[in-house]
Amino acid sequence: MQNIKWHKPPEAPYPVTRDVSEAELAAINLRREWDLGITPIPNLAELLEEKGIKIFSVSLTNIDGLTARARRAEKDEIPVIAVNREDRGERQRFTLARELGHMVMDVSNRVNEEKAAHRFAGAFLMPRDTLWAEIGKHRTSIRSDELLFLKQIFGASVQTVTYRCKDLGIFKRTLFKRLFDEFDRLGWRSPPYKEPDSLPSENPVRFKRLTLRALAEGAISESKAAELLEISVHDLGNCIVRS
């Protein structure tokens, strides 16, 4: 099975030396380098896999995700992001974007690295021009159904959308606080973070596609394919189409 080489942006790691707002520029530059424009990303896990980042969906305890690098003999290291399979889709998407930020930014000691990664994630998922077009540049109030509509557009939780609007100055601090007080009251800020209109899980699919391709081309047996995919040979039959 062919591995896609890590498509590391030539300018990465992007420096964040003064404050977290520089993470915004890092997200803009990465979108430009990967030719993503300013439209929302429908499947983030698949995009990252196509750029050479290995995505693993696993059960994690007390964390949403992490970034690592896998060493290979006589080859370049492979960047890896593990995401908690128990989380809802919107939370997984933010985790993937946040960990991508850790991967492509060089944050100085003067800047809070986690806050910079959060700012990067918001900017990468919700480009400012697109968000402005959907919601406007200044708002003094907003209904929950509009926030849920934005959640579906950008694939981000209502809380992430609200933070992004605060970062861009769309929401003043008073509105931001009022909204988060309401999220607290509704229980959205506590585990298991059950906001309405949950998004589907961000499952990595490239490994499955390549395994099924290898099976179809006779490179591996059905038992080996089932082993790799961690399913039974019987269930494997539902994944393939025979002529």
Side-chain angles (χ1 to χ4, degrees):
M1 288 183 286
Q2 181 182 8
N3 284 312
I4 293 180
K5 186 176 181 180
W6 163 222
H7 189 80
K8 181 181 178 181
E11 296 179 3
Y14 301 107
V16 179
T17 59
R18 295 186 300 274
D19 58 67
V20 296
S21 64
E22 292 173 303
E24 182 97 17
L25 182 59
I28 292 172
N29 286 337
L30 181 59
R31 271 183 162 267
R32 181 183 301 117
E33 174 62 29
W34 284 354
D35 197 26
L36 299 178
I38 60 172
T39 58
I41 299 168
N43 191 317
L44 184 54
E46 186 168 0
L47 168 69
L48 298 183
E49 286 185 314
E50 291 300 330
K51 297 302 181 182
I53 301 172
K54 300 298 183 185
I55 307 297
F56 292 98
S57 178
V58 296
S59 293
L60 299 172
T61 303
N62 297 327
I63 59 172
D64 297 319
L66 55 88
T67 300
R69 290 188 178 274
R71 294 181 178 178
R72 299 183 296 173
E74 301 179 358
K75 293 183 179 180
D76 295 336
E77 291 183 337
I78 301 173
V80 175
I81 298 177
V83 63
N84 192 348
R85 67 158 58 114
E86 311 302 330
D87 285 343
R88 293 179 164 221
E90 57 268 30
R91 197 171 181 87
Q92 291 175 335
R93 285 172 60 84
F94 185 82
T95 296
L96 289 169
R98 182 194 66 208
E99 295 303 318
L100 177 63
H102 283 302
M103 190 177 293
V104 301
M105 292 190 299
D106 181 14
V107 183
S108 75
N109 293 332
R110 294 188 296 173
V111 180
N112 184 302
E113 184 175 2
E114 201 60 29
K115 287 185 178 179
H118 280 236
R119 181 64 179 265
F120 174 94
F124 192 74
L125 293 173
M126 292 170 279
R128 59 190 179 190
D129 287 347
T130 307
L131 185 57
W132 282 339
E134 292 291 343
I135 194 174
K137 291 188 176 182
H138 301 287
R139 296 289 296 270
T140 57
S141 65
I142 190 168
R143 289 169 51 94
S144 60
D145 51 358
E146 186 177 358
L147 287 171
L148 289 169
F149 178 72
L150 294 169
K151 173 179 182 173
Q152 297 300 318
I153 291 177
F154 293 102
S157 72
V158 166
Q159 294 173 72
T160 299
V161 172
T162 303
Y163 260 109
R164 181 66 174 147
C165 289
K166 186 261 294 181
D167 287 340
L168 292 176
I170 299 171
F171 295 165
K172 298 299 183 184
R173 183 159 294 277
T174 51
L175 176 57
F176 175 79
K177 184 179 184 305
R178 191 162 71 245
L179 287 169
F180 266 80
D181 286 344
E182 179 65 7
F183 301 156
D184 262 328
R185 186 188 70 80
L186 294 170
W188 296 357
R189 300 192 65 195
S190 304
Y193 309 104
K194 286 188 176 180
E195 289 185 0
D197 301 342
S198 179
L199 301 178
S201 295
E202 282 276 332
N203 293 316
V205 296
R206 186 169 186 272
F207 180 77
K208 180 178 180 179
R209 288 205 315 267
L210 291 177
T211 300
L212 294 176
R213 175 180 173 182
L215 174 61
E217 294 179 351
I220 59 175
S221 65
E222 285 194 347
S223 59
K224 184 61 178 178
E227 177 187 345
L228 291 170
L229 296 176
E230 298 182 335
I231 59 177
S232 69
V233 173
H234 173 74
D235 290 337
L236 181 65
N238 298 323
C239 298
I240 58 179
V241 177
R242 293 182 172 86
S243 60

